[in-house]
Amino acid sequence: MIKVAPSILSADFGKLGDEIRAIEEGGADLVHIDVMDGNFVPNITIGPVVVKGIRPLTKMPFDVHLMVQKPQHFVEDFIKAGADILTVHVEADHSPHQTIKHIHDQGKKAGVVLNPGTPFHLAKDFLNEIEMILIMTVNPGFGGQKFMPEVVPKIREVKEYLDKEGLSIDIEVDGGITSENAYEVARAGGNILVAGSFVYKGDPKERIASLKAACEE
Ligand code: DX5
Ligand code: ZN
């Protein structure tokens, strides 16, 4: 079963509470929270105070995507604020083994993220430690970018490798996902679809349903 994780980056922050309730009522499975530091990526978005503020509004798990340098310095604050799953880029400045351990020591789930240009082999060292691998289908930094179909073979490569090794790790895919490409992503092996602009540029309930329906084809 495919899960949908709407990214609140594309929500209206003037009514963030309503925007979160809309995706919960619309059948979202996780809330994807895009954290950007203006350093690892050229944009600044959401910090722990916002996560803390929205935590009481929903029971959906918070999937916190850390697009920051030195993520090890921030995981504790995001966990205290209410994060359930934290993903860290292999390209960021840290030792992923230690950052993953730090997340697990606090009882939360951990994942690693690969940018479009980063090969899968750079994540292989961490597969026995993580609950999720996040594959970017846009270069991180902004919502509303175009899906990069050239990343689809990497999704397939990850899925085939995980199956061969008997590893049950979620494969989350993030960037430019719409009802047009959701099936292609799911068929390649993605089981959690992040969607920001697609969900929030229409009626969230209809958009979430159309993503799930596209994958059932
Ligand atoms: C990109 C973010 C994504 C993105 C999703 O840097 O990690 O989560 O905002 O938004 P859309 O679906 O609009 O690409
Ligand atoms: Zn993201």
Side-chain angles (χ1 to χ4, degrees), residues 7 9 32-36 63-67 87 89 113 134 136 138 140 172-175 194:
S7 166
L9 187 58
H32 187 82
I33 301 176
D34 284 309
V35 175
M36 306 186 188
D63 164 29
V64 175
H65 176 190
L66 293 170
M67 287 161 276
T87 56
H89 276 259
V113 194
L134 170 50
M136 296 304 301
V138 297
E172 184 174 50
V173 181
D174 183 7
V194 175

Short mmCIF file of all heavy atoms in Angstrom, two decimals, residues 7 9 32-36 63-67 87 89 113 134 136 138 140 172-175 194, ligand 2:
data_model
loop_
_atom_site.label_atom_id
_atom_site.label_comp_id
_atom_site.label_asym_id
_atom_site.label_seq_id
_atom_site.Cartn_x
_atom_site.Cartn_y
_atom_site.Cartn_z
N SER A 7 4.04 17.55 1.74
CA SER A 7 5.03 18.49 2.28
C SER A 7 4.34 19.81 2.60
O SER A 7 3.78 20.45 1.70
CB SER A 7 6.14 18.75 1.26
OG SER A 7 6.89 19.87 1.68
N LEU A 9 5.66 22.47 3.06
CA LEU A 9 6.38 23.61 2.48
C LEU A 9 5.50 24.39 1.51
O LEU A 9 5.64 25.60 1.39
CB LEU A 9 7.63 23.08 1.75
CG LEU A 9 8.62 24.10 1.22
CD1 LEU A 9 9.13 24.99 2.35
CD2 LEU A 9 9.79 23.40 0.53
N HIS A 32 5.23 15.59 5.88
CA HIS A 32 6.62 15.80 5.48
C HIS A 32 7.00 17.24 5.79
O HIS A 32 6.36 18.18 5.32
CB HIS A 32 6.78 15.49 4.00
CG HIS A 32 8.19 15.51 3.50
ND1 HIS A 32 9.04 14.43 3.66
CD2 HIS A 32 8.90 16.47 2.87
CE1 HIS A 32 10.22 14.74 3.13
NE2 HIS A 32 10.17 15.97 2.63
N ILE A 33 8.05 17.40 6.58
CA ILE A 33 8.45 18.74 7.02
C ILE A 33 9.86 19.03 6.50
O ILE A 33 10.84 18.36 6.86
CB ILE A 33 8.40 18.82 8.57
CG1 ILE A 33 6.96 18.53 9.04
CG2 ILE A 33 8.88 20.19 9.05
CD1 ILE A 33 6.77 18.48 10.55
N ASP A 34 9.94 19.99 5.60
CA ASP A 34 11.20 20.32 4.92
C ASP A 34 11.97 21.39 5.68
O ASP A 34 11.57 22.56 5.69
CB ASP A 34 10.90 20.79 3.49
CG ASP A 34 10.54 19.63 2.58
OD1 ASP A 34 11.31 18.65 2.55
OD2 ASP A 34 9.49 19.70 1.92
N VAL A 35 13.07 20.98 6.25
CA VAL A 35 13.90 21.88 7.06
C VAL A 35 15.12 22.29 6.23
O VAL A 35 15.91 21.44 5.81
CB VAL A 35 14.34 21.18 8.36
CG1 VAL A 35 15.31 22.06 9.14
CG2 VAL A 35 13.13 20.80 9.19
N MET A 36 15.25 23.59 5.99
CA MET A 36 16.36 24.10 5.18
C MET A 36 17.09 25.19 5.95
O MET A 36 16.45 26.03 6.60
CB MET A 36 15.84 24.67 3.86
CG MET A 36 15.00 23.67 3.07
SD MET A 36 14.56 24.32 1.46
CE MET A 36 13.40 23.06 0.90
N ASP A 63 7.51 13.54 9.61
CA ASP A 63 8.63 13.04 8.81
C ASP A 63 9.50 14.26 8.51
O ASP A 63 9.16 15.07 7.64
CB ASP A 63 8.00 12.42 7.55
CG ASP A 63 8.95 12.19 6.41
OD1 ASP A 63 10.14 11.97 6.66
OD2 ASP A 63 8.47 12.20 5.24
N VAL A 64 10.57 14.42 9.26
CA VAL A 64 11.37 15.64 9.19
C VAL A 64 12.60 15.43 8.30
O VAL A 64 13.49 14.63 8.61
CB VAL A 64 11.77 16.10 10.61
CG1 VAL A 64 12.71 17.30 10.54
CG2 VAL A 64 10.51 16.46 11.41
N HIS A 65 12.60 16.15 7.18
CA HIS A 65 13.65 16.04 6.16
C HIS A 65 14.65 17.17 6.41
O HIS A 65 14.35 18.33 6.14
CB HIS A 65 12.97 16.15 4.78
CG HIS A 65 13.90 16.15 3.62
ND1 HIS A 65 13.49 16.44 2.34
CD2 HIS A 65 15.23 15.88 3.53
CE1 HIS A 65 14.52 16.38 1.52
NE2 HIS A 65 15.59 16.05 2.22
N LEU A 66 15.81 16.79 6.93
CA LEU A 66 16.80 17.79 7.34
C LEU A 66 17.77 18.12 6.20
O LEU A 66 18.72 17.39 5.94
CB LEU A 66 17.58 17.27 8.56
CG LEU A 66 16.77 17.12 9.85
CD1 LEU A 66 17.58 16.38 10.90
CD2 LEU A 66 16.34 18.49 10.37
N MET A 67 17.49 19.22 5.53
CA MET A 67 18.41 19.71 4.48
C MET A 67 19.31 20.76 5.12
O MET A 67 19.19 21.96 4.85
CB MET A 67 17.59 20.29 3.31
CG MET A 67 16.92 19.20 2.49
SD MET A 67 15.55 19.84 1.49
CE MET A 67 14.25 19.81 2.70
N THR A 87 15.31 12.34 8.61
CA THR A 87 16.19 11.88 7.54
C THR A 87 17.31 12.90 7.34
O THR A 87 17.07 14.11 7.39
CB THR A 87 15.41 11.66 6.22
OG1 THR A 87 14.73 12.86 5.86
CG2 THR A 87 14.41 10.53 6.36
N HIS A 89 20.88 13.92 5.00
CA HIS A 89 21.55 13.74 3.71
C HIS A 89 22.93 13.13 3.89
O HIS A 89 23.69 13.56 4.76
CB HIS A 89 21.67 15.10 3.00
CG HIS A 89 20.43 15.47 2.26
ND1 HIS A 89 20.30 15.31 0.89
CD2 HIS A 89 19.25 15.95 2.68
CE1 HIS A 89 19.10 15.71 0.51
NE2 HIS A 89 18.44 16.11 1.58
N VAL A 113 19.17 10.32 3.06
CA VAL A 113 18.65 10.93 1.83
C VAL A 113 19.75 11.00 0.78
O VAL A 113 20.91 11.31 1.12
CB VAL A 113 18.15 12.38 2.07
CG1 VAL A 113 17.32 12.87 0.89
CG2 VAL A 113 17.40 12.51 3.37
N LEU A 134 15.44 7.93 1.56
CA LEU A 134 14.71 8.97 0.83
C LEU A 134 15.49 9.32 -0.43
O LEU A 134 16.67 9.67 -0.36
CB LEU A 134 14.54 10.20 1.74
CG LEU A 134 14.01 11.50 1.15
CD1 LEU A 134 12.76 11.30 0.34
CD2 LEU A 134 13.73 12.49 2.27
N MET A 136 15.75 11.71 -3.64
CA MET A 136 15.30 13.00 -4.17
C MET A 136 15.14 12.92 -5.70
O MET A 136 16.06 12.46 -6.39
CB MET A 136 16.30 14.12 -3.86
CG MET A 136 16.50 14.43 -2.38
SD MET A 136 15.01 14.86 -1.49
CE MET A 136 14.45 16.30 -2.42
N VAL A 138 14.26 15.86 -7.23
CA VAL A 138 14.62 17.24 -7.62
C VAL A 138 15.86 17.57 -6.80
O VAL A 138 16.13 16.92 -5.78
CB VAL A 138 13.52 18.29 -7.30
CG1 VAL A 138 12.23 18.03 -8.05
CG2 VAL A 138 13.26 18.41 -5.79
N PRO A 140 17.37 19.50 -3.97
CA PRO A 140 16.65 20.09 -2.85
C PRO A 140 16.86 21.59 -2.73
O PRO A 140 17.88 22.12 -3.17
CB PRO A 140 17.22 19.36 -1.62
CG PRO A 140 18.55 18.86 -2.04
CD PRO A 140 18.44 18.58 -3.52
N GLU A 172 11.16 6.24 0.29
CA GLU A 172 10.40 7.48 0.13
C GLU A 172 10.98 8.24 -1.06
O GLU A 172 12.20 8.25 -1.23
CB GLU A 172 10.50 8.32 1.41
CG GLU A 172 9.66 9.60 1.38
CD GLU A 172 9.66 10.34 2.72
OE1 GLU A 172 10.74 10.58 3.28
OE2 GLU A 172 8.57 10.69 3.20
N VAL A 173 10.12 8.84 -1.84
CA VAL A 173 10.57 9.58 -3.02
C VAL A 173 10.00 11.00 -2.92
O VAL A 173 8.83 11.19 -2.57
CB VAL A 173 10.13 8.87 -4.32
CG1 VAL A 173 10.63 9.63 -5.56
CG2 VAL A 173 10.65 7.43 -4.34
N ASP A 174 10.85 11.99 -3.22
CA ASP A 174 10.53 13.38 -2.91
C ASP A 174 10.97 14.31 -4.02
O ASP A 174 12.15 14.39 -4.35
CB ASP A 174 11.25 13.75 -1.60
CG ASP A 174 10.97 15.15 -1.10
OD1 ASP A 174 10.12 15.84 -1.66
OD2 ASP A 174 11.64 15.55 -0.11
N GLY A 175 9.99 15.05 -4.58
CA GLY A 175 10.32 16.10 -5.53
C GLY A 175 9.53 16.00 -6.82
O GLY A 175 9.71 15.06 -7.58
N VAL A 194 6.22 11.73 -1.36
CA VAL A 194 6.12 13.10 -0.84
C VAL A 194 5.51 13.95 -1.95
O VAL A 194 5.87 13.80 -3.12
CB VAL A 194 7.51 13.65 -0.48
CG1 VAL A 194 7.42 15.12 -0.04
CG2 VAL A 194 8.16 12.81 0.62
ZN ZN B 2 11.51 17.00 1.39
#
